[in-house]
Structures are given as C-alpha cells and as structure tokens.
Amino acid sequence: MSGRYVKASQRCLSLLDQCRTMSQIKQIQSHLIVSATLSDPFAAGKIISFFAVSSNADVSHVYKLFLSLQHRTTFIWNTMIRVFVDKNENATALSLYKNMLQSGFLPNNYTFSFVLRACTENSSLGLASHAQVIKLGWESYDFVLNGLIHLYANWSSMEAARKLFDVSTDRDVITWTALINGYVKSGHAELARELFDQMPERNAVSWSAMITGYVHMGMFRQALELFNDMQLSGLHPNHAGMVGALCACASLGSLDHGRWIHTYMDRNGIELDRVLGTALVDMYAKCGCIEIACSVFEKMPDKDVFAFTSLISGLANHGRSADAIQLFARMQSEEVIPNEVTFISVLNACSRMGMVDEGLRIFNCMSVVYGIEPGVQHYGCLVDLLGRAGLLEEAKRLVREMPMEPDSYVLGALLNSCRVHGDVELGKEMVESLVERGLDHDGVHVLLSNMYASSNRWDRVVKVREEMGAKKFRKEPGCSLIEIGGRVSEFVAGDMSYLLVEEVMLVSLGIDNHLKFLLLDDGNSNSNIC
DNA sequence: AGGTGTGCCT
C-alpha cells in the first residue's frame, strides 16, 4: 500500500468516527472507493463494523460492499457474520460462515461468539459448531464456553449445559445467568432460584433474568418480590427487569406496583420505547385503567404492531369493541402491519359486539390483504362470532368446511352458542364427537353441564358431573385477582375463606339483581349475558 | 499500528 493511500485512508477513518447518519457513511464510503482506499482491508473493516453497530443498518448495502472487497480478513468475515446474526438472519450468517471456511479462513474465538448465537434455533448445526469449537481448541475459552452453555440451555438440554458449567474454571456472572435461564426455560423454578441465590455476584441482567423467568413460569408474586429485593440490594432496575415486573403486575392486577414503575420511569427520564411502552399499556389495560392505557399509547413515539395489538385487545376486553375496531383502522392507516395476534383481538371485538359482516370482512382481508393464513384460533373466533349472533347453521358449516381439524376451542365456541341459543341436541352430539376424538378438556364438560342446567334438565347435569368425576376431570377453579390498598387478593371460585366474604357475596348478589333487572327491562332476554 | 464478542425484554 502506498503512502498516498494510507494518508487518504486515515483521513476518511477519522471522519468516520464523527459520522452519525447512514448517508454520511455512504458518502465517506464512495470517497473511499474513488480513492481506492477500500483495497485497504483495515479501512474496509472499519466501514463494515460501522454498519454492524448501527441499529438501522442496511444489510443488503453492506453485503454488497463485502462482496466487492478484494481482500478480506478474519475480522471482516466475523463482522459480516455478526451483521446477519444481529438482523436475525441466522441461515445467511451460517452460510457465510461456511463460505469463510471454504475460503481458507480459520474461525477464531470471536467468530464462534457470533456463530453460536446463529445456531440457537438449529440444534444440529449447533452440535456441528460445538464440534468445530472443540477441534480448534476454543472450548475452554470463557466467551465461547458461555456461548455454548447458552446454546444448550436454550434448547433445554440441561445435562449438557450443566456439564459445561461444571467444568468451567472461569465462571462469571454471564455463565451463571445462562444456566439459570436454561432451568427457567425447562420449568425448573427451584433449581433456577437455588443457582440465583448461590451465584457469587449478581448484576441487573441476572436479576431481570430471574424476574422474567418467574414471569414465564407464571410465578408472578415471586417475580414482584424479586423486583423489590433487587432495589433493596441497591441495584437500579433495568429495562428488561421493568418489563418483566410490569408483566407480573398485569397478570396480578397489581395496579399500585405498576404505577410505581411508571412513576419511576418518569422520574428517571426512562424513554417510553416500544417494549416498555407496550408493557405499560398492557399493564394499565389489564388492571382496569383503559383510559390511562390509551394515554400511554398516545405518548409512545414509535408504535409498532405489539403496541396496537395490546391496546386493541385491551379495548375489546373492556367492552369497547367499536373503539377497538377504530384503532385497528387507524393502525392500517398508519401502515403498521397487523399480525395473527392482532386479528384474534379484532375478531374477538367483532364477536362481542355482534358485528358479523365486519368480522367476516376482516377475516377475509387477513389472507387477501396481509397474506396471513387463518389458523385454528381465527376459525375459533369466527365460529364464536357466528354462534353468538345466533347463526348456528353458518357456524356449523364453517366447522365442517374449515381447512384444519377443529380443536376443542372451536367446538367449545360452537357448543357455547348451542347453549346460549338452546340447541341442546346439537350440543350433545358435539360433545359426543369431542369425547370420541379425545378433545374433551374439562371446559367442554362444564359447558355441557351448564347447557343442560339452562334448559332445566337437572338429571343430565348430575350425570355429566358424575362422568367428570369418574374421568378425574377437575376444572381449574375460576380465579380473579384484585388489588386493594396495595395488597393483591385472590378470589377463587368456591373458596369462602377470604375476609369480608359476606360483604363480597352481598355486592355480587346486588350486581346479579341489577343485571336481571336490566335483562327483563330489555325485553330480549338471555342472548348476551351468560 | 490499528478495531469485533457471551446472559435478561411485549
């Protein structure tokens, strides 16, 4: 390389350090091409790594640049693989790795930290990579070993993960956290917690791993307790920890805790990004504060499909179907692409409001406009929509003609509409076919029994209950959580042990009477509330 | 001569 190139290269690289936008980088890059500086692998590597760290990297652009290079280094290969892994294009990353080997480059410890991440969904390639790691002698290198433990833990292959953990002589907080995460994924709450208590050093990431671990395992109280312990230990909650805690608040109905986190965010100037914003919207909606959920949503600068879907389903759950449908329209006008979960929420909203035509239209646009093939859950919503509206024949036809086997929830929706509209015979027929095919979860039997009850056939009710007892079905008791004065109380159907039981019963009787009065007043009887 | 990475997030 001549002195002239080196000088040009140095000038450009110092300019690069000040670059902030993609167009600035592209300008420098074209300058480098003109001055032939890109034939300097160091300069080229610097450019590519700039793309690698920028979050809005244009992958196809940087890949073209990579392909145009005459001379590549291990660093350049590593960085290019990293770009694809960061963009979740794992297959491309791995085929690039293969090309790297074919071009005669040896992977180093850095290569493996990217390659192992690319293997999280593909265990056979992961095993092959592990073999390579061993062959090249990187297995006991801390970063690589941590990557391997994470890999096995991620597949819930806890024996292998544990073995690697046990042989590790150089465990750090990441090694421990990776293993804890594996026990969480495989549902071993106690083992995970034991490790968490044992680990010599904890940071915000390990705390939030355990907190979100509890959330994933449905242990919401433990999650919130740990979130409190974290602050008592003097650590500030990080982004993921707050998201996990908010999720626990949403499930527990713990509005006070959720509000506390919101206030904490405001006071500390924590940005309302997509993930945290959605977690807040979800928490407020599930804790009954749909208005606050709406206002948080409006404050989010960057609303993605998850944010919209959260609020749509929140509105639907609050009986505000019209607002839910309107939000869905707004989502489309803002060019946010709905996903399959969005459609479940929207169809639910239609179903509750009896909007049959709108529901059918939306169901059709799912595949026609968005290329999302309706799944069994969407058919379930549609059956529910038709059934609730009293269109039993159409609902039955849909169940017959749907392209996949109806699951117990689809049939449950049909059964429910049989009950509501008094078609006891069809209901009975359906339950028999469900039993035959082994799709009779406890809810199906409860529906059948309720159906007989509402047509006053008490002998049949007793019979179904007896059958359930014989089959050892036990319906999970209905349960709801409510927070009063900072304390979460749990109400389980059939449980009379809580304080103030009499007052609660009186209030609920009052509500019942009020509803009955409304129904009688309304004249068209029992079609909607049951 | 000079730069890369691992664990938690709706």
Side-chain angles (χ1 to χ4, degrees):
Chain A
M1 171 127 346
S2 80
R4 191 164 60 91
Y5 287 163
V6 172
K7 243 185 167 171
S9 155
Q10 276 169 354
R11 203 172 52 241
C12 285
L13 293 180
S14 75
L15 273 173
L16 255 180
D17 283 332
Q18 297 155 30
C19 278
R20 286 295 164 267
T21 68
M22 196 52 66
S23 75
Q24 284 173 322
I25 295 177
K26 280 182 181 167
Q27 264 177 37
I28 304 266
Q29 187 196 323
S30 41
H31 184 73
L32 286 169
I33 291 168
V34 173
S35 63
T37 316
L38 272 185
S39 57
D40 171 7
F42 184 77
K46 195 91 183 168
I47 292 252
I48 290 187
S49 71
F50 251 89
F51 284 104
V53 294
S54 78
S55 55
N56 52 352
D58 178 351
V59 186
S60 65
H61 178 257
V62 65
Y63 188 52
K64 264 183 227 150
L65 170 65
F66 169 82
L67 289 176
S68 74
L69 296 180
Q70 307 273 311
H71 307 286
R72 293 173 195 151
T73 59
T74 308
F75 172 76
I76 290 176
W77 280 102
N78 287 350
T79 309
M80 194 64 234
I81 291 172
R82 175 194 168 182
V83 170
F84 283 111
V85 176
D86 283 346
K87 285 279 162 187
N88 245 325
E89 296 189 32
N90 292 333
T92 322
L94 290 170
S95 77
L96 210 61
Y97 171 63
K98 224 167 98 190
N99 287 348
M100 174 184 181
L101 300 183
Q102 281 163 354
S103 316
F105 284 86
L106 266 188
N108 61 14
N109 49 336
Y110 288 102
T111 321
F112 283 119
S113 49
F114 305 125
V115 166
L116 292 176
R117 254 172 65 203
C119 292
T120 39
E121 288 121 49
N122 190 324
S123 54
S124 60
L125 283 174
L127 290 174
S129 303
H130 188 180
Q132 290 257 21
V133 166
I134 295 172
K135 208 169 100 188
L136 293 167
W138 290 113
E139 200 195 29
S140 53
Y141 194 87
D142 51 0
F143 279 88
V144 179
L145 188 58
N146 285 347
L148 284 169
I149 291 174
H150 170 66
L151 202 63
Y152 285 104
N154 208 47
W155 306 326
S156 298
S157 305
M158 292 315 292
E159 263 177 52
R162 185 76 206 210
K163 224 180 248 170
L164 287 168
F165 177 88
D166 287 339
V167 299
S168 166
T169 52
D170 205 16
R171 290 172 209 150
D172 59 12
V173 60
I174 294 175
T175 325
W176 285 85
T177 309
L179 194 69
I180 287 173
N181 190 37
Y183 282 122
V184 163
K185 278 223 161 90
S186 49
H188 292 102
E190 292 83 18
L191 279 172
R193 182 56 192 259
E194 232 169 73
L195 280 171
F196 180 78
D197 290 334
Q198 271 172 28
M199 62 195 288
E201 174 207 346
R202 284 173 282 271
N203 62 17
V205 176
S206 29
W207 279 94
S208 35
M210 195 62 230
I211 291 167
T212 52
Y214 274 137
V215 172
H216 287 148
M217 294 184 288
M219 299 167 74
F220 305 115
R221 281 171 197 277
Q222 288 88 337
L224 277 193
E225 258 165 43
L226 208 61
F227 185 72
N228 285 333
D229 293 345
M230 177 181 180
Q231 276 133 261
L232 290 177
S233 84
L235 269 172
H236 293 294
N238 66 0
H239 189 263
M242 286 187 282
V243 170
L246 283 171
C247 193
C249 292
S251 303
L252 289 169
S254 183
L255 180 59
D256 282 356
H257 280 102
R259 251 196 217 127
W260 186 90
I261 297 171
H262 192 183
T263 311
Y264 177 89
M265 285 173 58
D266 281 347
R267 287 213 184 120
N268 292 280
I270 292 166
E271 188 201 353
L272 204 61
D273 72 356
R274 287 178 297 199
V275 179
L276 216 35
T278 303
L280 271 178
V281 168
D282 199 50
M283 182 278 294
Y284 278 120
K286 291 203 172 120
C287 290
C289 303
I290 191 67
E291 285 309 326
I292 306 179
C294 291
S295 72
V296 171
F297 176 82
E298 293 306 338
K299 281 188 199 129
M300 287 174 67
D302 196 7
K303 307 173 178 70
D304 63 1
V305 54
F306 296 101
F308 272 100
T309 305
S310 243
L311 191 56
I312 289 173
S313 105
L315 286 165
N317 287 335
H318 279 81
R320 288 174 50 177
S321 297
D323 293 330
I325 309 281
Q326 208 176 351
L327 189 61
F328 179 60
R330 175 174 155 200
M331 172 179 183
Q332 287 164 300
S333 71
E334 290 182 17
E335 288 175 355
V336 178
I337 311 287
N339 64 19
E340 56 283 355
V341 183
T342 318
F343 281 102
I344 293 174
S345 307
V346 175
L347 290 172
N348 262 330
C350 293
S351 164
R352 281 168 198 226
M353 218 164 71
M355 298 168 66
V356 177
D357 294 338
E358 182 71 358
L360 287 171
R361 193 188 64 75
I362 288 170
F363 184 85
N364 288 329
C365 93
M366 223 178 122
S367 57
V368 175
V369 181
Y370 294 101
I372 302 173
E373 280 315 311
V376 71
Q377 289 193 69
H378 301 102
Y379 279 96
C381 294
L382 208 58
V383 170
D384 189 54
L385 173 81
L386 295 169
R388 274 177 201 256
L391 301 166
L392 236 60
E393 283 308 315
E394 285 82 348
K396 275 194 279 182
R397 197 172 62 223
L398 185 66
V399 172
R400 263 200 315 275
E401 290 173 2
M402 58 190 272
M404 70 286 279
E405 276 286 291
D407 66 1
S408 58
Y409 295 94
V410 172
L411 297 171
L414 189 55
L415 185 57
N416 188 44
S417 58
C418 293
R419 180 179 67 87
V420 174
H421 297 284
D423 193 337
V424 180
E425 272 320 301
L426 174 64
K428 193 174 148 274
E429 205 179 290
M430 287 190 39
V431 172
E432 275 160 10
S433 94
L434 278 167
V435 173
E436 235 167 68
R437 292 156 50 202
L439 288 173
D440 53 333
H441 63 76
D442 45 14
V444 167
H445 289 270
V446 173
L447 268 174
L448 181 68
S449 130
N450 289 347
M451 186 171 71
Y452 283 135
S454 54
S455 56
N456 287 324
R457 293 164 74 169
W458 299 103
D459 51 326
R460 300 291 189 108
V461 173
V462 173
K463 212 174 147 228
V464 175
R465 291 283 170 179
E466 279 171 3
E467 278 169 12
M468 278 178 76
K471 284 192 176 177
K472 304 239 175 352
F473 275 126
R474 261 196 58 226
K475 188 185 175 305
E476 284 279 308
C479 156
S480 66
L481 298 161
I482 188 169
E483 187 180 72
I484 306 159
R487 214 181 132 230
V488 174
S489 301
E490 194 169 13
F491 295 90
V492 180
D495 174 13
M496 294 291 159
S497 65
Y498 41 85
L499 288 169
L500 304 173
V501 62
E502 284 173 18
E503 283 83 346
V504 172
M505 293 307 281
L506 280 173
V507 171
S508 105
L509 275 174
I511 294 172
D512 266 6
N513 285 333
H514 190 60
L515 281 175
K516 272 181 197 139
F517 175 75
L518 285 176
L519 283 171
L520 288 173
D521 197 43
D522 188 38
N524 52 30
S525 84
N526 61 354
S527 58
N528 288 320
I529 304 175
C530 269

